[in-house]
């Protein structure tokens, strides 16, 4: 969590400004006034906080079974240890995926299903962190959660092996879980890993291609595989642990995927126009890296005069100046990249709400999942 | 397989010469004349051939479900495709691990258990190949099975992702297997992956340390984790699929581990004194790389005058000449490294036979496992 809950309301207002999101983006499918929106943010924060509390003991127990070196790397990666092995207060991430598992189980099976799904929630979080460890190695990303990445501290070998071990731990947790849904959950998680790998592959391959060669469909498919798949899998696992029917499991998977895509769209908008103090990255970092993010590809493929200017800026060699970055951001905006991303995010959230309403018609039961979906499309960093 | 079975007898004789193994090493626990020993080799070859035939369709089906890029890398790695995507005749390895799964299932549960364990056998082979893909990246090994390694052809990113996907495929196969033992098998495989990672970590860390700092216990523990664990897991899975009692599953795990250690000891002997035409590596390749293999560490820690000479040769900077390599091999031998490795291999095989006799008292039922254990300690490359 990392931030006191009293900041929620201020942050929500900030993010609307930052993303330029219409006031109702996070509230799609619900008709609420400002006071209720702030309450939603609080509900999500409470769900995330509770998920962390429930899942962390499972995660720590699982990681505690690892042999020395991999345990050190994993504890460092989760923010529970400093590089020298001394305990750290921890910043293990926002626990969005485990919170989705628990909220989905609760929505379809009540508190008993929620309690039964804690181990599955931990498994999903282990998978997420396995992919982060490996992605950081492949992308040579130097920082994660405001700290040096595991490979930067321990080297590639240790980071690769710790990632391998976390995938194994996740699937061991499910294999050892006597719950009748655990085998179906494990099969779904394993299939999701393949999709995550495919997404990462497309992402790295795409970054090597010329900006003009990438289509919007490709980058949307990549974002669905890389971000949507695991959010969908998390929701599907909750439904499985609630003993839901196949069509409801699939509807919750689709809900998570669409919400995940909305999240990625907003995340990409923040990656261009977000406040560096809040994102933890320099202003325009995604543009400086000439990242083919969703708004950029939408702009590049818009056929507008600004698209041609953007293509030229993205095609230039060498480091971009602050002025270049400002011009690039403006070109993306003029070419309609920002508006498109926001409209797409709203559209994806609307689809997510439809899927949710299909599987969980009772608005009260759906409240937790709704709050989490709104939360992830409101914030980033 | 790669080699016609008519060569079996010649090869067996060759290997006894190469390893300097006592004639009875491969036949420990069995009292057979020469004619029967040649027959043993043939039995093992037949078991390996049959395992390949049974498991390959499962492997190809599983790999066929991977998205494009990872499928290409996996098909290349298994020797079923050339780098350009055209079909290859294939050299997917000797299938020792799947053959052990099937032989263990057969030994404890007969043909029905064997038939039921094919998917588990494929899962073990996928795990083995996932670790090969990642180990080659970490060790920067340029060749595998006489071809360029996957990372050398496709790059690190593709090799890491293909490895990740193969681990996921293995655990998906088990999660989707309706057999009552599949969950226990998956838990065991996942735990084995953690041990394999720990072994690889120790191996890479040890290679960075000074030769004199490595103890024999450490290098034995590393070999058990890196080689013994998966052979033990393979045998345990076969026992699980036969519905064996816990103590028999554990005994077969111990059988596989001990046989795996014997295999590694002989493999390390061949890595120093093996014929380059047969090993596919230059003569003394392990010595040229100053690898801390089992005979070398035994020699270094022997306290003999030759140990001091060996330490000096291993401590020298720069590439070793052919003369240096010959002197190094002689120093290992004079310090007792070769004799120790062969005695240890014999000792490990004796222990393996004890464990096997405990779980499978009927010699006829145990015959397949015995033949495979003898086979892996006879040959390498």
């Amino acid at each position: 969590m990392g931030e006191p809950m009293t900041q929620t309301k201020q942050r929500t207002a900030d993010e609307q400004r930052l993303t330029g999101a219409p006031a109702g983006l996070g509230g799609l499918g619900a008709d609420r006034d400002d006071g209720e929106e702030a309450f939603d943010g609080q509900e999500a924060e409470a769900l995330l906080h509770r998920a962390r509390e429930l899942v962390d003991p499972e995660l720590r127990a699982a990681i505690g079974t690892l042999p020395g070196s991999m345990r050190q790397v994993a504890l460092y990666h989760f923010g529970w240890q400093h590089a020298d092995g001394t305990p750290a207060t921890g910043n293990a991430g926002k626990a969005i995926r485990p919170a989705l598992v628990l909220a989905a189980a609760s929505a379809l099976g009540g508190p008993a299903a929620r309690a039964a799904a804690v181990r599955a929630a931990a498994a999903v979080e282990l998978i997420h962190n396995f992919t982060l460890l490996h992605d950081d190695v492949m992308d040579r990303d130097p920082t994660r959660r405001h700290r040096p990445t595991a490979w930067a501290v321990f080297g590639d070998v240790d980071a690769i092996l710790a990632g391998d071990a976390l995938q194994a731990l996740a699937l061991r947790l499910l294999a050892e879980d006597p719950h009748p849904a655990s085998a179906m959950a494990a099969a779904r998680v394993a299939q999701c890993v393949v999709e995550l790998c495919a997404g990462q592959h497309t992402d790295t391959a795409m970054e090597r291609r010329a900006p003009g060669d990438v289509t919007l469909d490709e980058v949307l498919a990549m974002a669905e595989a890389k971000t949507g798949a695991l959010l969908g899998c998390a929701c599907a696992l909750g439904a499985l642990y609630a003993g839901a029917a196949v069509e409801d499991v699939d509807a919750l998977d689709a809900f998570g995927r669409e919400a995940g895509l909305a999240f990625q769209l907003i995340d990409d908008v923040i990656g261009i126009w977000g406040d560096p103090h809040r994102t933890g990255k320099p202003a325009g970092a995604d543009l400086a890296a000439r990242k083919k993010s969703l708004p950029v590809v939408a702009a590049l493929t818009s056929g507008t005069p600004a698209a041609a200017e953007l293509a030229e800026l993205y095609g230039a060699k060498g480091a971009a100046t602050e002025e270049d970055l400002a011009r690039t951001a403006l070109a993306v905006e003029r070419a309609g990249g920002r508006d498109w991303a926001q409209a797409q995010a709203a559209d994806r959230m609307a689809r997510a709400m439809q899927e949710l309403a299909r599987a969980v018609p009772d608005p009260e039961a759906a409240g937790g999942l709704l709050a989490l979906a709104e939360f992830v499309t409101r914030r980033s960093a």
Side-chain angles (χ1 to χ4, degrees), chain A residues 115-181:
Chain A
V118 170
R119 205 182 286 185
V124 168
E125 189 70 349
L126 287 168
I127 292 293
H128 176 51
N129 283 281
F130 134 59
T131 63
L132 294 181
L133 280 164
H134 281 194
D135 286 359
D136 286 343
V137 170
M138 291 181 248
D139 301 340
R140 313 314 295 164
D141 271 335
T143 55
R144 158 84 52 202
R145 294 169 191 154
H146 307 280
R147 302 159 78 220
T149 41
W151 71 264
V153 174
F154 300 97
D156 287 2
V157 168
D158 285 24
I160 293 172
L161 290 171
D164 288 342
L166 291 194
Q167 181 182 179
L169 277 189
L171 288 154
R172 201 192 76 198
L173 278 190
L174 291 171
E176 288 174 351
D177 188 346
H179 193 283

Side-chain angles (χ1 to χ4, degrees), chain A residues 144-236:
Chain A
R144 158 84 52 202
R145 294 169 191 154
H146 307 280
R147 302 159 78 220
T149 41
W151 71 264
V153 174
F154 300 97
D156 287 2
V157 168
D158 285 24
I160 293 172
L161 290 171
D164 288 342
L166 291 194
Q167 181 182 179
L169 277 189
L171 288 154
R172 201 192 76 198
L173 278 190
L174 291 171
E176 288 174 351
D177 188 346
H179 193 283
S182 62
M184 268 189 296
R188 206 148 185 137
V189 164
Q191 188 51 35
C192 180
V193 168
V194 172
E195 197 173 349
L196 293 166
C197 292
Q200 168 68 6
H201 183 272
T202 309
D203 193 13
T204 55
M206 214 148 61
E207 290 303 325
R208 287 194 294 264
R209 281 159 57 192
D213 290 350
V214 175
T215 70
L216 205 45
D217 280 348
E218 280 181 302
V219 73
L220 276 168
M222 183 275 286
E224 181 175 343
K226 213 178 149 171
T227 306
L230 190 54
L231 268 65
C233 180
C235 296

Side-chain angles (χ1 to χ4, degrees), chain A residues 318-331:
Chain A
T321 63
E322 269 198 41
E323 203 195 314
D324 290 338
L325 293 180
R327 276 182 63 206
T328 309
L330 200 60

Side-chain angles (χ1 to χ4, degrees), chain A residues 53-105:
Chain A
E53 280 185 338
L54 286 168
V55 168
D56 277 1
E58 286 282 348
L59 290 175
R60 283 181 183 269
I63 291 167
T65 67
L66 292 176
S69 59
M70 286 176 290
R71 192 173 63 240
Q72 300 308 313
V73 177
L75 288 171
Y76 172 82
H77 171 78
F78 275 95
W80 292 328
Q81 268 190 11
H82 297 295
D84 64 5
T86 55
T89 49
N91 173 14
K94 290 190 295 291
I96 286 165
R97 290 156 194 84
L100 285 172
V101 176
L102 300 177

